[in-house]
Amino acid sequence: MMDYSTLKIIWWLLVGVLLIGFAIMDGHDMGVGTLLPFVGRNDVERRVVINTVGPHWDGNQVWFITGGGAIFAAWPLVYATAFSGFYWAMLVVLWALFFRPVGFDYRSKIHNATWRSTWDWGLFIGGSVPPLIFGVAFGNLLQGVPFQFDAYLVSTYSGNFWQLLNPFALLAGVVSSAMITMQGGAYLAHRTEGVIQERTIKAATGAAWLMVAAFVGAGFWLQSIEGYRITSTIDMNALPDPLSKTVVREAGAWMRNYTQQPLLWLLPGLAVAGALVTSLLLRLRYTLSAFVTSSLALVGVIGTAGASMFPFVMPSSSMPNASLTVWDSASSQLTLSLMFWATVIFMPLIIGYTSWAYSVMRGKVTAAYIRENDHAAY
């Protein structure tokens, strides 16, 4: 069995991988949903857009479910505290996601313009709201969340839903929304042709530039925000006890890891370069390469957030010493070990069947295909 501290680091990395997998895989079909009402101008064009992701969207949800399950099992204190503090925000995400399965399954069952248009906007809500909320949540994590623990490690959240919608968090929401729209646009451009592809490329290029502007702006803003720093001795092998340390807040603390490890600057560099190269490749019609570089940009954005906060996972603004970190909020060594080996077995299976599904259903989705397969297509 691996030592406890190593397992804690491994699961910090694995949760990051799952978040990145969710952003890349479920993110591109959410991005397609966001673009749906704008790049499809009539019923056939919108069915073309929907059919690029229709066969895959539910399989991509595996990343979302697995990510949530991994947080629950690996960081139970984080899961309990986050879902308590962000309760209404998570409900908004859940309500928005309701539109996706119903919209994909029932949108084209009835030949009625009002019915179909309603579900098109439902799919737009299901694709655009979750990335915005997730970005706002990360923006709040970087500022600290108002929660505290009592002696029995029962958490109390003292904020409210409207406090989550602060300016920095909304800017982080713009970063998240723009990068997911870019990701969806790169995928949609690869799967379509003609006027739909032209409109998609314009939209995805705009999203890429917006992501870069918002990401760079958030980076400069972050330097003036009070970050968190542990000032006491850290026992990396200790059992979960977030109250056993001392934490201070100071401006620029989130930049400390970049000062100590300059190679971490490659992550924000990857985010910016990936988005800019994506916009160029889309203009040149290298759509598959654009999807790859867009995915790398997502790796850069999420990696930047993780590297900035490490070892913090969920800082507390009302009781800094109660901040949850990689070292003091993880499950037991046995739990982390069993989960690790389960991941080693099942992760390749997930990647394998996903790759097979995309290889079987590759190629362009065209208006002619929709007309010829009116009852089979979405």
Side-chain angles (χ1 to χ4, degrees):
M1 184 182 294
M2 285 177 283
D3 65 89
Y4 200 11
S5 61
T6 301
L7 282 168
K8 290 177 180 179
I9 290 292
I10 288 174
W11 271 103
W12 179 78
L13 292 171
L14 284 176
V15 170
V17 169
L18 290 171
L19 291 176
I20 290 170
F22 165 65
I24 292 173
M25 299 305 298
D26 211 9
H28 77 251
D29 59 58
M30 286 185 177
V32 170
T34 302
L35 293 170
L36 171 63
F38 309 105
V39 299
R41 303 291 173 80
N42 57 51
D43 182 61
V44 172
E45 290 180 355
R46 290 185 177 183
R47 291 190 72 186
V48 168
V49 174
I50 292 171
N51 274 269
T52 62
V53 294
H56 303 291
W57 76 270
D58 47 355
N60 292 336
Q61 290 287 107
V62 170
W63 291 95
F64 180 56
I65 297 169
T66 305
I71 294 174
F72 170 77
W75 298 332
L77 279 175
V78 175
Y79 184 91
T81 306
F83 277 76
S84 174
F86 296 151
Y87 181 78
W88 287 107
M90 292 299 103
L91 274 184
V92 171
V93 171
L94 184 62
W95 291 333
L97 290 175
F98 286 160
F99 287 105
R100 285 159 59 79
V102 184
F104 280 115
D105 286 342
Y106 291 105
R107 186 263 181 202
S108 297
K109 299 298 185 185
I110 298 177
H111 290 275
N112 179 278
T114 302
W115 169 270
R116 293 186 172 188
S117 178
T118 299
W119 284 116
D120 289 340
W121 286 103
L123 289 171
F124 166 78
I125 293 171
S128 61
V129 170
L132 176 63
I133 296 295
F134 292 144
V136 169
F138 266 98
N140 279 280
L141 287 178
L142 287 163
Q143 297 173 93
V145 181
F147 71 90
Q148 57 189 28
F149 289 112
D150 62 17
Y152 299 99
L153 295 184
V154 176
S155 65
T156 302
Y157 179 75
S158 57
N160 60 60
F161 175 80
W162 301 109
Q163 288 177 330
L164 300 176
L165 305 179
N166 57 79
F168 179 80
L170 291 174
L171 180 59
V174 171
V175 174
S176 178
S177 295
M179 77 177 189
I180 293 301
T181 303
M182 172 187 69
Q183 181 76 353
Y187 177 79
L188 186 58
H190 183 63
R191 296 295 309 279
T192 57
E193 59 187 20
V195 293
I196 299 176
Q197 187 186 63
E198 292 294 329
R199 295 174 194 142
T200 299
I201 288 174
K202 290 180 181 178
T205 300
W209 282 96
L210 177 60
M211 192 215 87
V212 170
F215 180 74
V216 172
F220 281 109
W221 194 342
L222 188 64
Q223 297 180 48
S224 63
I225 290 177
E226 286 190 337
Y228 293 74
R229 182 168 62 87
I230 299 174
T231 56
S232 58
T233 302
I234 303 172
D235 183 358
M236 299 179 183
N237 289 293
L239 293 173
D241 183 9
L243 300 180
S244 63
K245 64 183 180 302
T246 57
V247 176
V248 297
R249 298 185 65 182
E250 56 188 23
W254 289 144
M255 311 306 295
R256 181 182 178 88
N257 288 338
Y258 295 95
T259 302
Q260 296 178 341
Q261 301 291 336
L263 283 177
L264 291 177
W265 284 106
L266 292 174
L267 290 170
L270 181 63
V272 173
L276 295 178
V277 173
T278 297
S279 66
L280 175 62
L281 291 173
L282 285 172
R283 290 293 184 183
L284 297 174
R285 304 299 187 273
Y286 295 125
T287 54
L288 181 58
S289 297
F291 182 77
V292 173
T293 55
S294 176
S295 299
L296 291 175
L298 269 61
V299 173
V301 171
I302 297 172
T304 297
S308 298
M309 292 180 60
F310 184 85
F312 291 91
V313 179
M314 191 173 181
S316 170
S317 58
S318 58
M319 187 180 180
N321 290 351
S323 299
L324 298 173
T325 73
V326 171
W327 312 120
D328 56 28
S329 59
S331 290
S332 69
Q333 184 175 3
L334 178 60
T335 300
L336 296 182
S337 182
L338 291 174
M339 288 171 55
F340 171 76
W341 291 112
T343 302
V344 169
I345 295 170
F346 289 106
M347 183 66 76
L349 295 177
I350 294 173
I351 295 174
Y353 80 67
T354 301
S355 301
W356 175 81
Y358 274 88
S359 67
V360 169
M361 301 179 190
R362 66 186 181 276
K364 302 287 186 181
V365 179
T366 64
Y369 168 82
I370 297 299
R371 295 188 183 98
E372 293 169 4
N373 299 273
D374 183 63
H375 297 291
Y378 286 87

